[in-house]
Short mmCIF file of all heavy atoms in Angstrom, two decimals:
data_model
loop_
_atom_site.label_atom_id
_atom_site.label_comp_id
_atom_site.label_asym_id
_atom_site.label_seq_id
_atom_site.Cartn_x
_atom_site.Cartn_y
_atom_site.Cartn_z
N LEU A 204 29.44 -4.24 2.52
CA LEU A 204 30.54 -5.03 3.07
C LEU A 204 31.04 -6.07 2.08
O LEU A 204 32.23 -6.41 2.07
CB LEU A 204 30.08 -5.73 4.37
CG LEU A 204 29.89 -4.83 5.59
CD1 LEU A 204 29.32 -5.64 6.75
CD2 LEU A 204 31.19 -4.17 5.99
N TYR A 205 30.13 -6.58 1.25
CA TYR A 205 30.55 -7.56 0.23
C TYR A 205 31.59 -6.95 -0.71
O TYR A 205 32.53 -7.63 -1.13
CB TYR A 205 29.32 -8.02 -0.56
CG TYR A 205 29.66 -8.92 -1.72
CD1 TYR A 205 29.94 -10.27 -1.52
CD2 TYR A 205 29.73 -8.42 -3.02
CE1 TYR A 205 30.26 -11.10 -2.59
CE2 TYR A 205 30.05 -9.24 -4.09
CZ TYR A 205 30.31 -10.57 -3.87
OH TYR A 205 30.63 -11.39 -4.93
N TRP A 206 31.44 -5.67 -1.00
CA TRP A 206 32.38 -5.01 -1.91
C TRP A 206 33.61 -4.48 -1.20
O TRP A 206 34.71 -4.51 -1.76
CB TRP A 206 31.67 -3.85 -2.62
CG TRP A 206 30.57 -4.31 -3.53
CD1 TRP A 206 29.23 -4.15 -3.33
CD2 TRP A 206 30.70 -5.03 -4.75
NE1 TRP A 206 28.52 -4.73 -4.36
CE2 TRP A 206 29.40 -5.28 -5.25
CE3 TRP A 206 31.79 -5.51 -5.48
CZ2 TRP A 206 29.16 -5.96 -6.42
CZ3 TRP A 206 31.54 -6.20 -6.66
CH2 TRP A 206 30.25 -6.42 -7.13
N TRP A 207 33.46 -4.03 0.03
CA TRP A 207 34.55 -3.30 0.67
C TRP A 207 35.30 -4.10 1.74
O TRP A 207 36.47 -3.84 1.99
CB TRP A 207 34.02 -2.02 1.33
CG TRP A 207 33.36 -1.10 0.35
CD1 TRP A 207 33.64 -0.96 -0.98
CD2 TRP A 207 32.29 -0.19 0.61
NE1 TRP A 207 32.83 -0.03 -1.57
CE2 TRP A 207 31.98 0.47 -0.61
CE3 TRP A 207 31.55 0.15 1.74
CZ2 TRP A 207 30.99 1.43 -0.72
CZ3 TRP A 207 30.56 1.11 1.65
CH2 TRP A 207 30.29 1.75 0.43
N ALA A 208 34.64 -5.06 2.40
CA ALA A 208 35.28 -5.78 3.50
C ALA A 208 35.90 -7.07 2.99
O ALA A 208 35.64 -7.52 1.87
CB ALA A 208 34.25 -6.08 4.59
N ASP A 209 36.74 -7.70 3.84
CA ASP A 209 37.28 -8.99 3.46
C ASP A 209 36.30 -10.10 3.88
O ASP A 209 35.26 -9.83 4.50
CB ASP A 209 38.67 -9.22 4.06
CG ASP A 209 38.67 -9.17 5.59
OD1 ASP A 209 37.63 -9.54 6.20
OD2 ASP A 209 39.69 -8.77 6.18
N THR A 210 36.65 -11.34 3.56
CA THR A 210 35.73 -12.46 3.78
C THR A 210 35.39 -12.64 5.26
O THR A 210 34.23 -12.87 5.61
CB THR A 210 36.34 -13.75 3.23
OG1 THR A 210 36.60 -13.59 1.83
CG2 THR A 210 35.40 -14.93 3.44
N THR A 211 36.39 -12.56 6.12
CA THR A 211 36.13 -12.79 7.54
C THR A 211 35.26 -11.69 8.14
O THR A 211 34.36 -11.96 8.93
CB THR A 211 37.45 -12.90 8.32
OG1 THR A 211 38.24 -11.72 8.09
CG2 THR A 211 38.25 -14.11 7.87
N GLN A 212 35.52 -10.44 7.76
CA GLN A 212 34.69 -9.35 8.27
C GLN A 212 33.24 -9.50 7.82
O GLN A 212 32.31 -9.38 8.63
CB GLN A 212 35.25 -8.01 7.78
CG GLN A 212 36.58 -7.63 8.41
CD GLN A 212 37.20 -6.41 7.74
OE1 GLN A 212 36.94 -6.12 6.58
NE2 GLN A 212 38.04 -5.70 8.49
N LEU A 213 33.05 -9.79 6.54
CA LEU A 213 31.70 -10.00 6.03
C LEU A 213 31.04 -11.19 6.73
O LEU A 213 29.87 -11.11 7.12
CB LEU A 213 31.75 -10.26 4.52
CG LEU A 213 30.42 -10.66 3.86
CD1 LEU A 213 29.38 -9.56 3.99
CD2 LEU A 213 30.64 -11.02 2.39
N GLY A 214 31.79 -12.27 6.89
CA GLY A 214 31.22 -13.47 7.50
C GLY A 214 30.76 -13.25 8.93
O GLY A 214 29.66 -13.66 9.31
N TRP A 215 31.59 -12.59 9.72
CA TRP A 215 31.22 -12.39 11.12
C TRP A 215 30.05 -11.42 11.26
O TRP A 215 29.18 -11.61 12.11
CB TRP A 215 32.42 -11.90 11.93
CG TRP A 215 33.43 -12.98 12.18
CD1 TRP A 215 34.69 -13.07 11.68
CD2 TRP A 215 33.23 -14.15 12.98
NE1 TRP A 215 35.31 -14.22 12.10
CE2 TRP A 215 34.44 -14.90 12.91
CE3 TRP A 215 32.17 -14.64 13.73
CZ2 TRP A 215 34.60 -16.11 13.58
CZ3 TRP A 215 32.33 -15.86 14.41
CH2 TRP A 215 33.53 -16.57 14.33
N VAL A 216 30.02 -10.40 10.41
CA VAL A 216 28.87 -9.48 10.45
C VAL A 216 27.61 -10.21 10.03
O VAL A 216 26.53 -10.04 10.64
CB VAL A 216 29.12 -8.25 9.55
CG1 VAL A 216 27.85 -7.41 9.42
CG2 VAL A 216 30.25 -7.40 10.12
N LEU A 217 27.71 -11.04 9.00
CA LEU A 217 26.54 -11.77 8.53
C LEU A 217 26.02 -12.72 9.60
O LEU A 217 24.80 -12.83 9.81
CB LEU A 217 26.90 -12.53 7.26
CG LEU A 217 25.71 -13.05 6.43
CD1 LEU A 217 26.07 -13.00 4.96
CD2 LEU A 217 25.32 -14.47 6.84
N VAL A 218 26.93 -13.42 10.28
CA VAL A 218 26.52 -14.31 11.37
C VAL A 218 25.84 -13.51 12.48
O VAL A 218 24.81 -13.92 13.03
CB VAL A 218 27.73 -15.09 11.92
CG1 VAL A 218 27.37 -15.80 13.22
CG2 VAL A 218 28.21 -16.11 10.89
N ALA A 219 26.41 -12.35 12.80
CA ALA A 219 25.83 -11.51 13.86
C ALA A 219 24.44 -11.01 13.49
O ALA A 219 23.61 -10.77 14.37
CB ALA A 219 26.76 -10.34 14.15
N LEU A 220 24.20 -10.85 12.19
CA LEU A 220 22.90 -10.33 11.74
C LEU A 220 21.89 -11.43 11.40
O LEU A 220 20.81 -11.13 10.89
CB LEU A 220 23.10 -9.44 10.51
CG LEU A 220 23.77 -8.09 10.76
CD1 LEU A 220 23.94 -7.33 9.44
CD2 LEU A 220 22.97 -7.25 11.74
N LYS A 221 22.23 -12.67 11.67
CA LYS A 221 21.30 -13.76 11.36
C LYS A 221 20.07 -13.73 12.26
O LYS A 221 18.93 -13.78 11.79
CB LYS A 221 22.00 -15.11 11.52
CG LYS A 221 22.86 -15.53 10.34
CD LYS A 221 22.01 -16.02 9.17
CE LYS A 221 22.88 -16.58 8.06
NZ LYS A 221 22.08 -17.05 6.91
N ILE A 222 20.30 -13.65 13.57
CA ILE A 222 19.21 -13.84 14.52
C ILE A 222 18.49 -12.55 14.94
O ILE A 222 17.26 -12.50 14.93
CB ILE A 222 19.72 -14.59 15.77
CG1 ILE A 222 20.26 -15.97 15.36
CG2 ILE A 222 18.59 -14.76 16.78
CD1 ILE A 222 19.26 -16.84 14.65
N PRO A 223 19.21 -11.46 15.31
CA PRO A 223 18.49 -10.28 15.83
C PRO A 223 17.43 -9.71 14.88
O PRO A 223 16.30 -9.46 15.33
CB PRO A 223 19.62 -9.28 16.10
CG PRO A 223 20.81 -10.14 16.39
CD PRO A 223 20.68 -11.30 15.46
N PRO A 224 17.72 -9.50 13.58
CA PRO A 224 16.64 -9.00 12.71
C PRO A 224 15.48 -9.97 12.58
O PRO A 224 14.31 -9.55 12.54
CB PRO A 224 17.35 -8.81 11.35
CG PRO A 224 18.79 -8.70 11.67
CD PRO A 224 19.00 -9.60 12.85
N PHE A 225 15.79 -11.25 12.56
CA PHE A 225 14.75 -12.27 12.48
C PHE A 225 13.84 -12.21 13.71
O PHE A 225 12.61 -12.21 13.60
CB PHE A 225 15.40 -13.64 12.36
CG PHE A 225 14.45 -14.80 12.47
CD1 PHE A 225 13.68 -15.18 11.38
CD2 PHE A 225 14.32 -15.50 13.66
CE1 PHE A 225 12.79 -16.24 11.48
CE2 PHE A 225 13.44 -16.56 13.76
CZ PHE A 225 12.68 -16.93 12.67
N LEU A 226 14.45 -12.13 14.90
CA LEU A 226 13.66 -12.07 16.13
C LEU A 226 12.83 -10.80 16.18
O LEU A 226 11.68 -10.83 16.65
CB LEU A 226 14.59 -12.16 17.35
CG LEU A 226 15.27 -13.50 17.59
CD1 LEU A 226 16.16 -13.43 18.82
CD2 LEU A 226 14.25 -14.62 17.74
#
Side-chain angles (χ1 to χ4, degrees):
L204 288 175
Y205 174 79
W206 295 109
W207 301 331
D209 60 30
T210 301
T211 56
Q212 291 171 335
L213 173 62
W215 286 112
V216 171
L217 195 146
V218 168
L220 288 179
K221 279 284 186 180
I222 300 302
F225 172 80
L226 291 180

